[in-house]
Amino acid sequence: MTDNTWLNRWDERYSTKEFAYGTEPNNYLREQLTRLTPGKILFPAEGEGRNAVFAATQGWKVSAFDISANGRNKALQLAEQLETTIDYQVGELSTLNYQKEQFDAIALIYAHFPGDIKSSIHQMLNQYLRKGGFIIFEAFSKNHLEYIAKNEKVGGPKDSESLFSIEEIKADFPDYDIIELAETEIELNEGLFHNGTGSVIRFVGQKLA
């Protein structure tokens, strides 16, 4: 079950008129989607919808979910502004009715789940991706804590358990052809809460089985 503190945190962050992470898509996601043929894509922990809505404008059939109703409201507002549509559900993954092998791609963009459930969520998501489908992943690495210490404006979780390592990604997505898997330093300029230099894990994998 979701900790109410966790839910309240995101509902509060998404309650303002301004978009917490802006309305432009994540750069890595934008780059990777241009290489794929549009199909059905899922965005877990999608917040205010900037990435999901972008994918919809590029011809993808988009599903998204988050625990925050405020996030969903802003995502639908953004979709309407850009004259597109997305299917956005509110709830935890275990309560949502996605089907096995439903999706051609799953995009995990700063989808930081609590440390005790993040691997089980990745394993659950794996079932919903068809064989030959793609995972696109960008999120903060465990080394990112050093960057937060220098500049809090870069954002990201402040507990190591919610952050990622290359080894964890390999363990969570074992049956994949790894197209890219790297830890890298990047400059972020995403809305109010992702600004500055950070350390991220980037992963693109194609499901083998």
Side-chain angles (χ1 to χ4, degrees), residues 155-205:
K158 294 179 180 175
D159 62 300
S160 179
E161 293 74 25
S162 300
L163 300 167
F164 295 97
S165 67
I166 284 175
E167 292 69 31
E168 283 177 338
I169 297 302
K170 282 182 178 173
D172 286 357
F173 300 104
D175 299 316
Y176 282 75
D177 178 21
I178 295 173
I179 296 163
E180 179 177 9
L181 178 56
E183 182 172 340
T184 188
E185 183 178 279
I186 65 167
E187 288 299 318
L188 283 160
N189 181 17
E190 298 185 328
L192 303 172
F193 293 100
H194 276 176
N195 291 287
T197 307
S199 175
V200 299
I201 302 287
R202 286 175 162 176
F203 170 55
V204 177

Side-chain angles (χ1 to χ4, degrees), residues 10 38 52 68 71 96 100 111 117 125-126 131 149 156-157 170-171 191 207:
W10 293 110
S68 170
L96 305 176
K100 285 193 173 178
I117 61 168
L125 287 169
N126 181 56
K131 185 178 176 181
K170 282 182 178 173
K207 189 176 178 183

Side-chain angles (χ1 to χ4, degrees), residues 6-20:
W6 183 250
L7 170 59
N8 292 342
R9 177 191 168 190
W10 293 110
D11 259 346
E12 184 180 337
R13 176 155 291 187
Y14 300 145
S15 66
T16 61
K17 187 177 178 185
E18 276 192 274
F19 279 66

Side-chain angles (χ1 to χ4, degrees), residues 26-110:
N26 171 267
N27 288 333
Y28 189 64
L29 174 79
R30 187 202 300 261
E31 180 189 310
Q32 296 306 321
L33 286 187
T34 63
R35 300 175 181 180
L36 302 179
T37 303
K40 295 178 183 174
I41 188 168
L42 176 63
F43 286 85
E46 176 51 7
E48 297 167 319
R50 65 193 174 103
N51 297 309
V53 171
F54 170 75
T57 68
Q58 303 303 299
W60 290 81
K61 187 174 182 188
V62 175
S63 298
F65 71 90
D66 199 283
I67 56 171
S68 170
N70 286 346
R72 177 181 186 270
N73 292 342
K74 286 171 86 173
L76 297 182
Q77 171 195 325
L78 184 60
E80 189 176 348
Q81 282 172 13
L82 296 177
E83 299 181 343
T84 191
T85 56
I86 60 174
D87 174 64
Y88 194 127
Q89 298 187 51
V90 174
E92 295 177 57
L93 181 57
S94 57
T95 68
L96 305 176
N97 295 317
Y98 298 121
Q99 304 303 310
K100 285 193 173 178
E101 301 185 2
Q102 180 178 343
F103 297 103
D104 302 298
I106 295 176
L108 288 151
I109 305 297
Y110 297 96

